[in-house]
Amino acid sequence: MITKLCGKWVVGHQDGAHCLFEDGEVVFEDGKVIFVGYDYDGHVDKVEELGNVLIGPGFIDLDAIVDLDSTVLGFDNHPGWKKGRVPSAQWARRETYSPAQLAFNKRYAFNMLLLNGITTAMPITSILYREWAETYDEFIVAADIAEETGIRAYLGPAYMSGHAVVNPDKSISMRFDEAKGMAGLSDAIRYVERVRSDYSSRIDGFLAPDRIEGCTPELLKRTAEAQQRLACPVRLHSCQGELEVEMITKLHGGISSIEYIHRAGLISDGLILPHLQFLGGAAPTEASIKQDLSLISQGGASALICPIVAGRHGKYFDGVSTFKEWGINLSLGTDTYPVDMIQNMHIGCILSRVSKGDIAEASALDYYNMATLGGARALGRDDLGRLCAGAAADIIVFDFDSVYTGQNFDPITAMVINGNGRDIKGVIVDGVKRVWDGQLVSGVSMQELHRQAQAQFSEFKASYPERCYGSPTLEDVFPLSLNKVSKQLP
Ligand SMILES: [Zn+2]
């Protein structure tokens, strides 16, 4: 089956960069693109005239929420140690969701990611409400759901050797269990091997040691060895916040988070580093920041920037221009709700300019590249994030006829600054239509999933007081923004 898509703008790929075709064509057969350009003269079985649209590669989200997002609860409710983001030392860890609820979260999320034009996802969930970390079994179910929804996914259960707790005297310390970390790693290795043998080529595995402060040197060292053997990506949240860099300094003799990863032998071109907001350790100097940048650059690791979640916390990474100077690959993630790569590109651009005080610091194209080519490079995939002969047929259709998208003066910039994920009306993964006319082709009702997600989230939210320092009520943890007026009975 050979399909030709025609649209006002087509993003192709030439000489290592994206390019534009006006009134262009994309032709694909099965899961592969066979032609991008003008006037394809080979046989086609089906032609789709899509009109005033941008046809481009699907987005690659390397920090894709497959949870009902809990970080949104912290937007106006902080500090985290008072609001259950760091659990109380007295909390006996337990599973807050049932296995069926965890599976529902993934079904909801994979469909939501597809609707937003995310064709490749590397999931993230919060494990603060878990008995320990993620499990092999739940990710087997996740792989089944990814197959069923049709998204391309890199999957793996997150593992850790320890986590932070708030003590009765309000201090924060780490609680470690090395055996649990090692068991988590061996499950994660077994998982990568399993998905590679038993699932379609759309499903691959990766290693997901959770936050760096919760990983012992031995766990990171073993992770590095496993990564070499499996040749799969590793993603490790690092340089994310003050608590982390101070904990690394305290536990590991004054070094920075990046130095810590380096000593474990983990820095390589297979390593993806989300956030990178606190380079240079707990007391950064120009020299210590340069040292970290140099280690990342020499090792060939990728940075993963998540602008909305970063900006919501009043933080941002050192800058597009700085990372470009060091030759560090930049990729993009959503990491919170909404799972909207376009909004993240726009906000990322704004944060970059404001944090450097320079309008030339980053362009819409810089962020578009991060969401496509940068993600592909982080995964070591030269067939993703671009449309050219031989690339995967992972394609999205952005609608410039939507009245909300303003005037099109440049298809990339106008999409990034005037558009959002809701303007994506078509999504094809591996040559198969998954979203068309803005609806899931599978017939799954997002409206029904939405209702169930609300009910499940309300139940989940009610579990916060048990994890919070000082046993507050739910209303104390999450007061409404406005005073709620009670209804007077007659
Ligand atoms: Zn993250």
Side-chain angles (χ1 to χ4, degrees):
M1 173 78 179
I2 301 178
T3 307
K4 178 163 89 169
L5 306 177
C6 310
K8 178 68 189 162
W9 296 101
V10 170
V11 178
H13 190 76
Q14 281 179 358
D15 307 322
H18 290 310
C19 61
L20 282 171
F21 295 95
E22 186 169 5
D23 297 313
E25 302 167 357
V26 179
V27 184
F28 62 94
E29 179 174 20
D30 303 323
K32 289 272 176 258
V33 174
I34 56 175
F35 175 85
V36 180
Y38 301 118
D39 304 322
Y40 181 69
D41 59 7
H43 165 79
V44 294
D45 298 297
K46 191 172 185 192
V47 179
E48 304 243 20
E49 298 282 353
L50 300 175
N52 188 23
V53 299
L54 174 87
I55 302 172
F59 299 134
I60 298 170
D61 182 352
L62 299 182
D63 222 5
I65 279 281
V66 298
D67 233 355
L68 302 182
D69 186 16
S70 61
T71 60
V72 293
L73 291 166
F75 185 76
D76 279 324
N77 299 296
H78 30 78
W81 68 267
K82 268 191 184 172
K83 303 290 180 178
R85 287 301 294 173
V86 185
S88 151
Q90 271 110 343
W91 182 53
R93 289 188 79 103
R94 68 171 184 96
E95 291 292 352
T96 309
Y97 285 123
S98 69
Q101 287 177 320
L102 288 173
F104 169 81
N105 290 354
K106 293 180 178 82
R107 179 168 290 109
Y108 170 84
F110 287 142
N111 282 304
M112 187 55 83
L113 292 161
L114 281 172
L115 283 167
N116 278 276
I118 292 156
T119 53
T120 300
M122 184 178 265
I124 181 82
T125 72
S126 173
I127 54 180
L128 72 93
Y129 55 80
R130 306 298 302 267
E131 187 181 348
W132 189 253
E134 291 169 341
T135 67
Y136 177 92
D137 289 344
E138 104 191 58
F139 268 77
I140 289 298
V141 176
D144 294 340
I145 297 168
E147 287 281 36
E148 178 192 310
T149 54
I151 199 165
R152 191 181 296 284
Y154 281 77
L155 303 173
Y159 52 93
M160 64 182 185
S161 12
H163 61 91
V165 290
V166 192
N167 298 305
D169 66 358
K170 298 183 189 172
S171 66
I172 293 177
S173 59
M174 298 298 296
R175 192 174 275 177
F176 285 102
D177 186 333
E178 182 85 290
K180 278 190 175 150
M182 291 302 169
L185 171 60
S186 52
D187 278 353
I189 294 168
R190 194 159 59 90
Y191 182 82
V192 173
E193 289 163 346
R194 168 88 184 267
V195 291
R196 284 178 169 176
S197 72
D198 291 5
Y199 287 84
S200 77
S201 62
R202 279 187 295 100
I203 311 296
D204 203 346
F206 82 111
L207 297 175
D210 206 59
R211 295 157 171 261
I212 182 173
E213 68 272 28
C215 297
T216 59
E218 193 56 25
L219 187 71
L220 289 186
K221 220 180 95 207
R222 298 266 192 100
T223 296
E225 287 160 10
Q227 194 237 340
Q228 299 263 306
R229 193 165 57 74
L230 295 164
C232 67
V234 175
R235 187 188 60 205
L236 178 57
H237 278 65
S238 31
C239 311
Q240 190 172 5
E242 293 91 339
L243 174 72
E244 170 210 311
V245 290
E246 282 161 16
M247 204 56 89
I248 295 291
T249 282
K250 197 170 122 191
L251 296 175
H252 306 290
I255 58 174
S256 74
S257 296
I258 298 299
E259 177 71 32
Y260 182 51
I261 301 171
H262 169 64
R263 288 186 188 180
L266 195 57
I267 301 187
S268 76
D269 59 4
L271 179 66
I272 299 167
L273 294 167
H275 306 309
L276 295 181
Q277 291 157 169
F278 290 81
L279 293 173
T285 62
E286 206 177 310
S288 70
I289 292 170
K290 276 190 176 165
Q291 172 67 15
D292 278 0
L293 286 164
S294 160
L295 287 172
I296 298 168
S297 169
Q298 280 170 21
S302 290
L304 167 55
I305 307 306
C306 305
I308 290 180
V309 85
R312 283 179 183 170
H313 287 85
K315 301 180 172 91
Y316 210 48
F317 82 118
D318 261 19
V320 171
S321 61
T322 307
F323 278 60
K324 271 189 183 172
E325 271 166 37
W326 282 92
I328 298 169
N329 180 46
L330 288 163
S331 59
L332 202 69
T334 53
D335 203 13
T336 189
Y337 207 87
V339 291
D340 185 333
M341 291 293 266
I342 298 177
Q343 280 194 49
N344 269 283
M345 291 178 220
H346 187 198
I347 289 168
C349 217
I350 293 170
L351 288 172
S352 291
R353 292 173 179 197
V354 171
S355 62
K356 289 269 177 169
D358 183 359
I359 193 172
E361 167 64 14
S363 66
L365 178 61
D366 284 326
Y367 276 87
Y368 182 73
N369 283 334
M370 287 160 68
T372 52
L373 297 171
R377 187 173 147 195
L379 295 171
R381 295 284 299 259
D382 59 10
D383 62 332
L384 299 182
R386 73 209 67 197
L387 296 181
C388 56
D394 290 4
I395 301 166
I396 61 173
V397 180
F398 178 90
D399 184 15
F400 275 113
D401 273 337
S402 159
V403 295
Y404 301 105
T405 54
Q407 284 65 60
N408 186 357
F409 52 92
D410 173 302
I412 297 299
T413 308
M415 173 178 70
V416 169
I417 71 175
N418 287 343
N420 64 45
R422 294 170 208 177
D423 301 316
I424 289 165
K425 66 175 188 181
V427 180
I428 292 167
V429 188
D430 211 20
V432 180
K433 274 185 192 173
R434 298 298 178 178
V435 175
W436 214 247
D437 297 323
Q439 301 295 318
L440 292 166
V441 174
S442 60
V444 165
S445 163
M446 205 62 215
Q447 196 62 55
E448 259 170 49
L449 296 185
H450 180 67
R451 269 195 293 273
Q452 190 178 337
Q454 182 62 56
Q456 196 157 302
F457 191 73
S458 300
E459 196 185 308
F460 164 70
K461 188 178 150 210
S463 76
Y464 265 72
E466 68 176 87
R467 286 189 295 278
C468 284
Y469 168 83
S471 314
T473 65
L474 185 58
E475 291 67 31
D476 288 337
V477 189
F478 302 126
L480 290 172
S481 300
L482 296 177
N483 184 34
K484 187 167 88 179
V485 179
S486 303
K487 191 171 179 179
Q488 297 295 324
L489 294 170

